[in-house]
Amino acid sequence: MIFFLYIVLVFLVLRFSVTLFNFVSNPKMGNYGRSFTDKVMIIIKVRQSEQEAEKLIASIKSQDYKNYEILIQSSDGPDVAENAKGAYFLFLEANTLIEKGFINSLIYRTSVFKLALLNIIPTPRTSGFIANCIYPLSDFVLLNLFPIRLVRLINHPAFAMANGACLFFDADIYRRYEWNHTFIDPGLAALEMLKSVKQEKLNADLLLGNKLIYQEEKELDIALLSRRLMLNFSNQPIIALGYLALVIAGPIVMAINLAPVFLLLPYGLIFLSRMMIAYLSVQPPFPNILYHPLQMISLTYLLLHSCWNRCITVLKSKK
């Protein structure tokens, strides 16, 4: 038991260190105040109909950027960007909204760092009890486990993490490597695509959306949310279950076995981590702290749901 508690504490310190690194390095998208005129092809991913993208299209039209063309593409349809003209390709999910300055800032960041791919994680817009228990989990797990700045600083596939909601490509590079044939849906294959970019020794970057791009979840899709969370664990159930044992069961075992005075350090690290993550993800800090126990229950359910489904799939494939 003592050995397990030591492991929990060490893992907690490591997670806090990663969160602190993210907090200090502040990997958020900035509004750089520059203007460009290059043509941008905006490919919007919809699941069923174009009506899903009405709010997004309205936010695009209110942009200060005018040289763009919008293409609507079904999530399970072929890539319509193959013959599209333009200097850049911007893939967006239909439930995202962008603010003024966003496209100019994408081009500026891409040109300054000579990026083949710039991946932006939208800021979640949550409203309601259930939403606040579930949607902040993606940022919590990511910012607790992965130092985001290393995506750009270390050009190796091992340092890759991605989000499929917003992908911005240099169009010439996208066509040259024929990624439209390799990855039918860049949104669903975002992590594999970013790894491919690094394998080709090209530059990529991952940033938090800050106040420039938001994502609204209209429907509670447990399967989709579970798959997104599993990406943080390389889709490996064993890693996800180990994470749950250390992050969920660990603090509970500590509370049962340790005197209150010894709980100040671990619980203090959890509190500070939640404060820093709330700042990075542009979320109100104290409500997120109050929701923390319920979010951990939701995290347990989502990861167990995904692990169970994956095990069932493996067993069926062996029959």
Side-chain angles (χ1 to χ4, degrees):
M1 180 61 68
I2 298 297
F3 180 70
F4 175 71
L5 292 177
Y6 273 123
I7 294 176
V8 171
L9 184 58
V10 169
F11 188 59
L12 181 58
V13 172
L14 289 175
R15 289 192 298 121
F16 176 79
S17 300
V18 171
T19 306
L20 182 61
F21 175 84
N22 283 323
F23 181 76
V24 173
S25 61
N26 196 28
K28 293 195 288 189
M29 185 70 175
N31 191 339
Y32 304 108
R34 302 298 180 90
S35 297
F36 299 88
T37 58
D38 307 87
K39 186 172 184 179
V40 177
M41 300 300 302
I42 304 175
I43 300 97
I44 300 175
K45 299 287 187 175
V46 297
R47 297 182 185 178
Q48 296 177 343
S49 67
E50 295 185 11
Q51 294 180 343
E52 300 171 27
E54 286 181 349
K55 288 186 178 180
L56 173 57
I57 293 173
S59 71
I60 293 172
K61 290 181 177 178
S62 66
Q63 283 280 305
D64 51 358
Y65 200 90
K66 301 304 178 185
N67 191 11
Y68 64 84
E69 183 178 340
I70 298 175
L71 299 175
I72 305 295
Q73 177 177 333
S74 173
S75 295
D76 55 0
D79 191 346
V80 297
E82 181 176 5
N83 299 316
K85 304 296 182 182
Y88 300 97
F89 293 151
L90 173 57
F91 290 87
L92 292 170
E93 289 185 354
N95 61 342
T96 54
L97 299 171
I98 63 176
E99 301 293 334
K100 289 183 178 179
F102 180 66
I103 297 178
N104 274 312
S105 296
L106 288 174
I107 297 175
Y108 176 74
R109 181 87 184 180
T110 301
S111 60
V112 166
F113 292 103
K114 297 179 172 56
L115 302 174
L117 167 60
L118 175 55
N119 187 198
I120 306 297
I121 303 173
T123 300
R125 275 185 173 171
T126 58
S127 60
F129 178 76
I130 299 298
N132 280 291
C133 289
I134 293 178
Y135 294 130
L137 289 174
S138 294
D139 288 335
F140 170 79
V141 175
L142 174 65
L143 294 170
N144 238 204
L145 289 178
F146 192 85
I148 292 178
R149 286 290 186 191
L150 297 188
V151 172
R152 180 175 62 84
L153 296 177
I154 301 179
N155 199 11
H156 190 280
F159 295 90
M161 187 57 66
N163 181 292
C166 175
L167 297 153
F168 189 69
F169 292 92
D170 182 305
D172 289 336
I173 298 176
Y174 186 89
R175 297 189 193 99
R176 186 190 315 157
Y177 288 93
E178 298 183 334
W179 284 328
N180 57 295
H181 297 300
T182 307
F183 305 97
I184 301 302
D185 185 347
L188 295 177
L191 181 57
E192 289 78 8
M193 178 164 278
L194 197 145
K195 288 181 178 179
S196 179
V197 170
K198 286 177 170 285
Q199 286 169 352
E200 298 292 346
K201 304 302 179 183
L202 300 169
N203 297 325
D205 199 4
L206 175 67
L207 294 173
L208 301 172
N210 201 5
K211 297 180 180 180
L212 289 173
I213 178 169
Y214 294 91
Q215 189 165 35
E216 295 181 333
E217 299 287 356
K218 298 179 180 179
E219 297 180 1
L220 186 61
D221 191 332
I222 297 297
L224 178 61
L225 291 169
S226 299
R227 289 198 301 271
R228 286 178 179 173
L229 285 173
M230 284 298 292
L231 288 176
N232 295 285
F233 310 102
S234 301
N235 289 317
Q236 298 296 323
I238 293 177
I239 299 176
L241 292 175
Y243 177 83
L244 286 178
L246 294 174
V247 174
I248 308 298
I252 296 175
V253 173
M254 280 184 170
I256 295 173
N257 290 276
L258 298 180
V261 67
F262 294 111
L263 298 177
L264 291 177
L265 174 61
Y267 282 32
L269 293 178
I270 293 172
F271 175 83
L272 292 174
S273 293
R274 291 312 307 247
M275 293 288 286
M276 290 187 288
I277 291 171
Y279 166 77
L280 289 168
S281 57
V282 198
Q283 298 292 318
F286 289 104
N288 267 286
I289 292 170
L290 295 176
Y291 275 111
H292 180 76
L294 296 175
Q295 289 175 359
M296 294 304 98
I297 294 172
S298 301
L299 178 63
T300 303
Y301 172 76
L302 290 171
L303 289 181
L304 290 178
H305 177 273
S306 182
C307 291
W308 175 257
N309 288 341
R310 186 167 291 273
C311 291
I312 294 297
T313 302
V314 171
L315 290 174
K316 287 182 177 179
S317 65
K318 291 182 178 181
K319 291 182 178 179

